[in-house]
Amino acid sequence: MAATAERSVVEAVPRRLLIGGDWVDPTSGATLPVEDPSTGETIVEVADAGPEEARQALAAAADAQESWAATPARERGEILRRAFELITSRVDDLALLMTLEMGKPISHSRAEVAYGAEFFRWFSEEAVRVAGRYLPAPDGRGRILTMRQPVGPCLLVTPWNFPMAMGTRKIGPAVAAGCTMVIKPAGLTPLSMLELARILTEAGLPPGVLNVLTTSSSGSATAPLFDDPRLRKVSFTGSTEVGRKLLEQAAGRVLRVSMELGGNAPFIVFEDADLDAAVEGAVVAKMRNVGEACTAANRFHVAAPVAAEFTERLAARIGAMKVGRGTDESVEVGPLVDEATRSKVEELVDDARARGARPVVGGTRSDGRGYFFQPTVLADVPPDARLLREEIFGPVAPVVPFEGEDQAVAAANDTEFGLVAYVYTRDLRRAFRVVERLESGMVGLNRGMVSNPAAPFGGVKQSGLGREGGFEGIDEYLETKYVAIDL
Ligand code: NAP
Ligand code: MG
């Protein structure tokens, strides 16, 4: 029964490229295997695009741009709204598909599908609120008029860790603003995006507005687009390393860019915190998505007087979580996405142990099939351990004690990243003092999760440029034109 359901959701997914409204095969006929990370087995093969298909996709987007920009905002919004309804009515199938290609527990996949759909609802509402302004020039001798227009054809590149929501967070505002696009999902998880494209087509999105490229050679396939004058913008979510590369490529033709990059989130617990709430928040901030989130708490800075108790309680909670194949409803921790991700987690844990860190629970990879790693809590983590500086992207929680507010803030900010920080305290004045001093684009105050379609998501420092979601999200897809008027 379960295997039949799995087969039928996989078989229903389009496996070809979406270009100009048609599902097409690449001329090479090449395909790319998609694996189930809980078994390491290939579940299906999808089209593997090269530079030629990328050019065709951009041509289709460019051809559709003018009429799409002229389509009434209400119509564009209603397509998003219908897509929101369709996704919502198919949450279970979409979640199963996501768990199969990515590994996260099915409950996490359902949460992502719901979260991802909300970007379509939010931007369906924002589509009709794009406005300019009219004002007298200060010297009284003229008028200032501004209008907001779509940027034009965009390249959208998304990661594997949230295969649907990282797409809807870009597609939603691009559709609302009147931009056409070429989207390139991660090679590890193309299925959720292909299914999403099918839903958008069903919702009435015209041919050419959204073009989908799945590829095993993301660099060489997308490189020619950066030299093509028809491309106007790149929006990327992924690692800082790749983001930097795309920024360099974008510099050639001074493209608009949005970058949602890596993180190294500190989770700070003061001695006056509600410890029950802090432990619950820590479990969410660490274990959501098996720790494979840019917002994942990467390091726990805990006030010395409560550090031992916090560590013990966190270890008890994390150590009791059920590990297994994500399709099982009772599983709380799935496999990591691939062997490379698991080996990196293992390397960081081994490095910390070699420097004196002590596993309170877990600490090693799991035996058997699939890319599993044991949920881990590390105590006595020395300041030079690599996992305090690098993104862990796995179910590993290092705890480091601190003495006083200044030390906590200094430790939290001691990173080139600045996506999110978490703070637990019951002292209102301390809360705001610390929030103001933290160098991050987002703060979770007595909360282990910040993501919300109505809020501006994004980072400072090397965590990115621009914001997604909120009132800010649509700005990334609009240009301002100023008209000087002589009365
Ligand atoms: P990644 O390796 O940077 O890949 C991200 C995307 O870029 C994938 O689609 C990838 O395709 C593609 N890509 C890689 N090299 C490229 C190139 N030279 N040209 C064009 N595209 C290229 O990141 P990931 O491992 O998928 O995702 C994990 C990272 O994403 C973490 O660092 C995490 O913090 C970050 N992230 C950030 C946010 C945020 O909002 N700030 C959200 C989620 C994740 P292939 O993989 O198929 O090559
Ligand atoms: Mg996979």
Side-chain angles (χ1 to χ4, degrees), residues 48-61:
D48 188 357
E52 187 45 41
E53 287 75 32
R55 276 191 215 97
Q56 290 165 6
L58 179 58

Side-chain angles (χ1 to χ4, degrees), residues 5 94 130 163 169 174 191 199 239 281 312 315 322 335 415:
L94 289 163
V130 174
R169 207 161 76 171
L191 303 180
I199 287 174
S239 61
E312 203 175 293
K322 184 171 172 190
T415 166

Side-chain angles (χ1 to χ4, degrees), residues 33-37 41 43 98-103 160 187-190 337-338 371:
V34 183
E35 246 188 33
D36 174 348
E41 283 165 13
I43 48 178
M98 188 181 289
T99 289
L100 289 174
E101 70 173 339
M102 190 273 171
W160 51 262
L188 287 171
T189 58
V337 75
D338 63 2
Y371 310 116

Side-chain angles (χ1 to χ4, degrees), residues 157-161 166 169 184-187 215 218-219 222 236-239 242 245-246 260-263 294 391 393 419 457:
V157 180
T158 57
W160 51 262
N161 62 343
M166 297 303 95
R169 207 161 76 171
K184 196 216 77 61
T215 178
S218 43
T222 58
F236 171 75
T237 298
S239 61
V242 173
K245 222 182 279 178
L246 298 187
E260 294 287 349
L261 309 177
C294 52
E391 223 176 357
F393 245 57
L419 190 60
F457 188 104

Side-chain angles (χ1 to χ4, degrees), residues 140-435:
R141 285 194 307 211
R143 299 292 180 266
I144 292 165
L145 175 73
T146 69
M147 55 182 78
R148 316 218 59 208
Q149 298 177 308
V151 168
C154 303
L155 171 63
L156 313 178
V157 180
T158 57
W160 51 262
N161 62 343
F162 292 97
M164 177 176 284
M166 297 303 95
T168 58
R169 207 161 76 171
K170 298 183 193 303
I171 297 168
V175 164
C179 294
T180 62
M181 63 210 90
V182 175
I183 189 157
K184 196 216 77 61
L188 287 171
T189 58
L191 303 180
S192 295
M193 184 59 64
L194 290 167
E195 193 58 18
L196 181 67
R198 187 163 75 131
I199 287 174
L200 280 159
T201 305
E202 195 177 330
L205 196 70
V209 173
L210 173 78
N211 304 277
V212 183
L213 287 180
T214 51
T215 178
S216 64
S217 47
S218 43
S220 61
T222 58
L225 304 186
F226 289 82
D227 299 324
D228 190 316
R230 294 173 296 186
L231 186 70
R232 298 301 166 80
K233 180 184 170 91
V234 180
S235 176
F236 171 75
T237 298
S239 61
T240 297
E241 187 191 351
V242 173
R244 234 182 251 120
K245 222 182 279 178
L246 298 187
L247 280 169
E248 276 173 29
Q249 284 178 262
R253 292 189 34 262
V254 195
L255 292 174
R256 279 279 297 269
V257 289
S258 302
M259 293 279 149
E260 294 287 349
L261 309 177
N264 176 4
F267 189 107
I268 308 170
V269 182
F270 286 100
E271 61 269 34
D272 58 39
D274 172 344
L275 222 52
D276 293 329
V279 171
E280 282 317 300
V283 171
V284 173
K286 183 72 252 180
M287 302 303 287
R288 173 169 172 249
N289 229 43
V290 202
E292 295 168 312
C294 52
T295 51
N298 206 56
R299 49 207 166 96
F300 293 83
H301 298 282
V302 185
V306 294
E309 190 186 348
F310 176 85
T311 308
E312 203 175 293
R313 289 169 67 175
L314 183 64
R317 286 282 277 106
I318 284 183
M321 292 176 92
K322 184 171 172 190
V323 181
R325 189 164 188 250
T327 48
D328 176 342
E329 288 287 345
S330 63
V331 160
E332 297 164 282
V333 187
L336 295 171
V337 75
D338 63 2
E339 183 52 39
T341 302
R342 177 166 70 168
S343 298
K344 171 81 194 292
V345 172
E346 185 173 48
E347 187 184 315
L348 290 176
V349 170
D350 289 351
D351 167 81
R353 292 177 74 164
R355 294 174 201 269
R358 177 174 56 85
V360 184
V361 66
T364 58
R365 63 167 62 205
S366 311
D367 298 329
R369 301 205 299 175
Y371 310 116
F372 292 93
F373 197 91
Q374 293 174 359
T376 298
V377 174
L378 297 173
D380 305 331
V381 180
D384 59 348
R386 279 175 56 199
L387 83 185
L388 298 181
R389 317 223 142 253
E390 298 176 36
E391 223 176 357
I392 302 171
F393 245 57
V396 176
V399 184
V400 191
F402 69 79
E403 311 274 351
E405 205 172 296
D406 285 344
Q407 205 187 82
V409 171
N413 288 340
D414 185 17
T415 166
E416 71 269 27
F417 296 106
L419 190 60
V420 61
Y422 303 91
V423 181
Y424 276 76
T425 174
R426 278 189 282 212
D427 179 339
L428 188 64
R429 295 161 80 193
R430 164 178 274 161
F432 282 94
R433 241 177 7 238
V434 171
V435 166

